[in-house]
Short mmCIF file of all heavy atoms in Angstrom, two decimals:
data_model
loop_
_atom_site.label_atom_id
_atom_site.label_comp_id
_atom_site.label_asym_id
_atom_site.label_seq_id
_atom_site.Cartn_x
_atom_site.Cartn_y
_atom_site.Cartn_z
N MET D 57 91.38 51.85 48.58
CA MET D 57 91.39 53.24 48.47
C MET D 57 90.25 53.90 49.04
O MET D 57 89.09 53.25 49.07
CB MET D 57 91.44 53.59 46.98
CG MET D 57 92.54 52.97 46.15
SD MET D 57 94.20 53.45 46.72
CE MET D 57 94.17 55.18 46.51
N GLY D 58 90.48 55.04 49.69
CA GLY D 58 89.27 55.76 50.26
C GLY D 58 89.42 57.21 50.18
O GLY D 58 90.46 57.78 49.90
N TRP D 59 88.31 57.73 50.34
CA TRP D 59 88.21 59.26 50.47
C TRP D 59 87.68 59.61 51.91
O TRP D 59 86.75 59.05 52.34
CB TRP D 59 87.21 59.89 49.47
CG TRP D 59 87.73 59.86 48.11
CD1 TRP D 59 87.47 58.96 47.02
CD2 TRP D 59 88.58 60.91 47.53
NE1 TRP D 59 88.10 59.27 45.89
CE2 TRP D 59 88.83 60.49 46.16
CE3 TRP D 59 89.21 62.05 48.00
CZ2 TRP D 59 89.70 61.27 45.28
CZ3 TRP D 59 90.01 62.74 47.14
CH2 TRP D 59 90.25 62.36 45.80
N TYR D 60 88.37 60.43 52.53
CA TYR D 60 88.09 60.99 53.87
C TYR D 60 87.96 62.50 53.74
O TYR D 60 88.41 63.16 52.75
CB TYR D 60 89.14 60.68 54.87
CG TYR D 60 89.32 59.16 55.25
CD1 TYR D 60 89.80 58.36 54.27
CD2 TYR D 60 88.89 58.68 56.45
CE1 TYR D 60 89.94 56.98 54.63
CE2 TYR D 60 88.96 57.36 56.75
CZ TYR D 60 89.56 56.50 55.83
OH TYR D 60 89.65 55.20 56.16
N GLU D 69 86.68 62.08 58.80
CA GLU D 69 85.72 61.01 58.65
C GLU D 69 85.81 60.32 57.36
O GLU D 69 86.21 60.94 56.40
CB GLU D 69 84.28 61.48 58.96
CG GLU D 69 83.81 62.44 57.86
CD GLU D 69 82.35 62.86 58.03
OE1 GLU D 69 81.61 62.21 58.78
OE2 GLU D 69 81.95 63.79 57.36
N LEU D 70 85.48 59.00 57.38
CA LEU D 70 85.46 58.31 56.13
C LEU D 70 84.25 58.73 55.35
O LEU D 70 83.16 58.73 55.79
CB LEU D 70 85.36 56.77 56.42
CG LEU D 70 85.12 55.83 55.18
CD1 LEU D 70 86.43 55.88 54.34
CD2 LEU D 70 84.83 54.46 55.72
N VAL D 71 84.48 58.95 54.00
CA VAL D 71 83.39 59.32 53.12
C VAL D 71 82.99 58.05 52.18
O VAL D 71 81.89 57.78 52.20
CB VAL D 71 83.83 60.45 52.18
CG1 VAL D 71 82.67 60.72 51.12
CG2 VAL D 71 84.07 61.70 52.95
N ALA D 72 84.08 57.50 51.65
CA ALA D 72 83.84 56.30 50.82
C ALA D 72 85.05 55.51 50.71
O ALA D 72 86.15 56.01 50.80
CB ALA D 72 83.31 56.76 49.43
N ARG D 73 84.91 54.21 50.47
CA ARG D 73 85.97 53.20 50.35
C ARG D 73 85.75 52.27 49.20
O ARG D 73 84.57 51.90 49.03
CB ARG D 73 86.22 52.53 51.65
CG ARG D 73 87.37 51.58 51.74
CD ARG D 73 87.29 50.80 53.06
NE ARG D 73 87.71 51.71 54.21
CZ ARG D 73 87.07 51.73 55.32
NH1 ARG D 73 86.07 50.91 55.53
NH2 ARG D 73 87.50 52.47 56.34
N ILE D 74 86.82 51.89 48.49
CA ILE D 74 86.67 50.90 47.47
C ILE D 74 87.85 49.98 47.55
O ILE D 74 89.00 50.42 47.72
CB ILE D 74 86.48 51.59 46.16
CG1 ILE D 74 86.30 50.48 45.01
CG2 ILE D 74 87.77 52.45 45.77
CD1 ILE D 74 85.87 51.12 43.69
N THR D 80 82.32 48.62 47.60
CA THR D 80 82.42 49.92 48.11
C THR D 80 81.65 50.07 49.52
O THR D 80 80.69 49.33 49.80
CB THR D 80 81.71 50.92 47.15
OG1 THR D 80 80.34 50.51 46.84
CG2 THR D 80 82.51 50.93 45.82
N ASN D 81 82.02 51.14 50.22
CA ASN D 81 81.32 51.47 51.36
C ASN D 81 81.18 52.93 51.44
O ASN D 81 82.10 53.65 51.03
CB ASN D 81 82.13 50.99 52.69
CG ASN D 81 82.22 49.54 52.79
OD1 ASN D 81 83.33 48.98 52.47
ND2 ASN D 81 81.16 48.83 53.29
N TYR D 82 80.09 53.53 51.95
CA TYR D 82 79.83 54.93 52.02
C TYR D 82 79.31 55.33 53.45
O TYR D 82 78.58 54.60 54.09
CB TYR D 82 78.71 55.28 51.04
CG TYR D 82 79.15 55.15 49.58
CD1 TYR D 82 78.81 53.92 48.88
CD2 TYR D 82 79.91 56.12 48.87
CE1 TYR D 82 79.25 53.76 47.56
CE2 TYR D 82 80.21 55.93 47.54
CZ TYR D 82 79.90 54.73 46.87
OH TYR D 82 80.24 54.60 45.56
N ALA D 83 79.72 56.53 53.73
CA ALA D 83 79.08 57.18 54.90
C ALA D 83 77.68 57.34 54.54
O ALA D 83 77.20 57.71 53.53
CB ALA D 83 79.68 58.48 55.26
N VAL D 86 76.42 60.51 52.75
CA VAL D 86 76.71 60.72 51.36
C VAL D 86 76.15 59.68 50.47
O VAL D 86 76.26 59.86 49.15
CB VAL D 86 78.23 60.87 51.09
CG1 VAL D 86 78.85 61.95 52.01
CG2 VAL D 86 78.92 59.53 51.29
N LEU D 90 77.31 60.61 46.48
CA LEU D 90 78.74 60.55 46.15
C LEU D 90 79.03 59.12 45.71
O LEU D 90 78.53 58.20 46.34
CB LEU D 90 79.55 60.93 47.29
CG LEU D 90 79.83 62.44 47.55
CD1 LEU D 90 78.57 63.28 47.72
CD2 LEU D 90 80.75 62.68 48.68
N ILE D 91 79.84 59.01 44.71
CA ILE D 91 80.20 57.67 44.15
C ILE D 91 81.71 57.57 44.07
O ILE D 91 82.31 58.39 43.37
CB ILE D 91 79.60 57.48 42.81
CG1 ILE D 91 78.05 57.69 42.82
CG2 ILE D 91 79.87 56.08 42.27
CD1 ILE D 91 77.50 58.98 42.36
N ILE D 92 82.26 56.56 44.63
CA ILE D 92 83.64 56.21 44.44
C ILE D 92 83.91 55.17 43.33
O ILE D 92 83.04 54.27 43.21
CB ILE D 92 84.29 55.81 45.81
CG1 ILE D 92 85.76 55.69 45.76
CG2 ILE D 92 83.67 54.46 46.24
CD1 ILE D 92 86.51 55.48 47.06
N LEU D 103 86.15 60.40 43.15
CA LEU D 103 84.85 60.69 43.94
C LEU D 103 84.06 61.53 43.19
O LEU D 103 84.27 62.74 43.09
CB LEU D 103 85.23 61.18 45.35
CG LEU D 103 84.06 61.31 46.29
CD1 LEU D 103 83.57 59.89 46.68
CD2 LEU D 103 84.44 62.13 47.51
#
Side-chain angles (χ1 to χ4, degrees):
M57 304 298 298
W59 286 99
Y60 292 72
E69 64 173 348
L70 174 68
V71 176
R73 182 187 288 136
I74 184 167
T80 58
N81 298 101
Y82 295 94
V86 307
L90 276 59
I91 305 99
I92 190 170
L103 186 67

